[in-house]
Amino acid sequence: EAGVTQFPSHSVIEKGQTVTLRCDPISGHDNLYWYRRVMGKEIKFLLHFVKESKQDESGMPNNRFLAERTGGTYSTLKVQPAELEDSGVYFCASSQARHRSSYNSPLHFGNGTRLTVT
Amino acid sequence: GDSVTQMEGPVTLSEEAFLTINCTYTATGYPSLFWYVQYPGEGLQLLLKATKADDKGSNKGFEATYRKETTSFHLEKGSVQVSDSAVYFCALSPTDSWGKLQFGAGTQVVVTP
């Protein structure tokens, strides 16, 4: 099966511009997560979709970040306007089930999008 | 809140050496624990997991034991290869929020021939 796919792999933009990151989860995975790793620091949870609904967006840093998952398939993460501190690697992950007993369905991560804001 | 602390890198060692990466955690309840690995140019891959105290996760020669008394989940491998060069992340999944992983900062491991 195809894995989690993220586009683009790299993006370099200027401060104040807008960038949209895309994630295609594994087909059939209802759960979709966004994470971010700022340079050298830990990977931080941003938000969680169950199908098209936002289940938990407690990790979103501020209102410059907007995530959508129309139709419950792919997801986009828009940063508008971008700031220097938004630079980092943005990971998307998907999973088939959410219940604790389903530990055989771990999160599958994409390769990430490296965002550089100059 | 929940947190994960792992040893800083980079860790540089020779092929066939013994590898240990320390990981300790702080969490309420009974979290699940994971080690993820990121090889150069690739995404995060689940290396191993443990879901309850005293469980031992193992994969590709790596092992880690869930120690509740010391709140630790140290990663070990008896004989590393050059192909094990990667960044290793310790992570926990809270009891009530499967998928909302709390990661450590990552440890870069470099294995030289």
Side-chain angles (χ1 to χ4, degrees), chain A residues 66-86:
Chain A
L66 175 63
E68 295 180 322
R69 193 183 181 195
T70 306
T73 55
Y74 70 91
S75 175
T76 58
L77 179 65
K78 180 189 288 187
V79 185
Q80 179 182 30
E83 298 289 345
L84 298 178
E85 64 265 25
D86 301 332

Side-chain angles (χ1 to χ4, degrees), chain A:
Chain A
E1 70 184 355
V4 176
T5 308
Q6 293 188 242
F7 303 97
S9 57
H10 294 85
S11 181
V12 181
I13 61 172
E14 293 183 354
K15 176 182 173 181
Q17 290 185 324
T18 297
V19 62
T20 300
L21 314 181
R22 172 167 169 151
C23 169
D24 286 71
I26 293 173
S27 178
H29 282 193
D30 288 341
N31 297 289
L32 188 149
Y33 304 83
W34 283 98
Y35 284 82
R36 174 174 76 167
R37 187 185 190 203
V38 176
M39 183 63 71
K41 299 194 174 180
E42 64 268 25
I43 301 168
K44 289 283 196 184
F45 167 85
L46 296 179
L47 86 160
H48 170 209
F49 283 100
V50 177
K51 297 185 180 179
E52 68 277 7
S53 299
K54 291 178 185 175
Q55 187 75 16
D56 182 347
E57 51 184 333
S58 60
M60 295 287 265
N62 52 61
N63 60 10
R64 294 185 294 102
F65 289 75
L66 175 63
E68 295 180 322
R69 193 183 181 195
T70 306
T73 55
Y74 70 91
S75 175
T76 58
L77 179 65
K78 180 189 288 187
V79 185
Q80 179 182 30
E83 298 289 345
L84 298 178
E85 64 265 25
D86 301 332
S87 295
V89 180
Y90 290 77
F91 292 101
C92 176
S94 70
S95 71
Q96 189 170 31
R98 189 169 180 229
H99 304 296
R100 182 185 176 87
S101 62
S102 300
Y103 59 79
N104 287 324
S105 297
L107 269 63
H108 298 261
F109 282 82
N111 286 359
T113 294
R114 180 174 295 279
L115 174 64
T116 302
V117 182
T118 61

Side-chain angles (χ1 to χ4, degrees), chain B residues 12-68:
Chain B
T12 303
L13 55 167
S14 300
E15 205 165 23
E16 299 184 1
F18 184 87
L19 171 68
T20 298
I21 304 176
N22 290 339
C23 171
T24 57
Y25 68 90
T26 301
T28 55
Y30 303 93
S32 295
L33 301 175
F34 307 86
W35 277 100
Y36 279 83
V37 59
Q38 185 180 22
Y39 298 103
E42 299 184 13
L44 293 167
Q45 300 175 25
L46 178 64
L47 181 59
L48 52 83
K49 62 182 182 291
T51 58
K52 62 182 186 296
D54 299 326
D55 267 2
K56 177 186 283 188
S58 61
N59 186 26
K60 299 182 180 181
F62 290 89
E63 292 183 341
T65 301
Y66 189 163
R67 300 288 188 198
K68 192 166 179 62

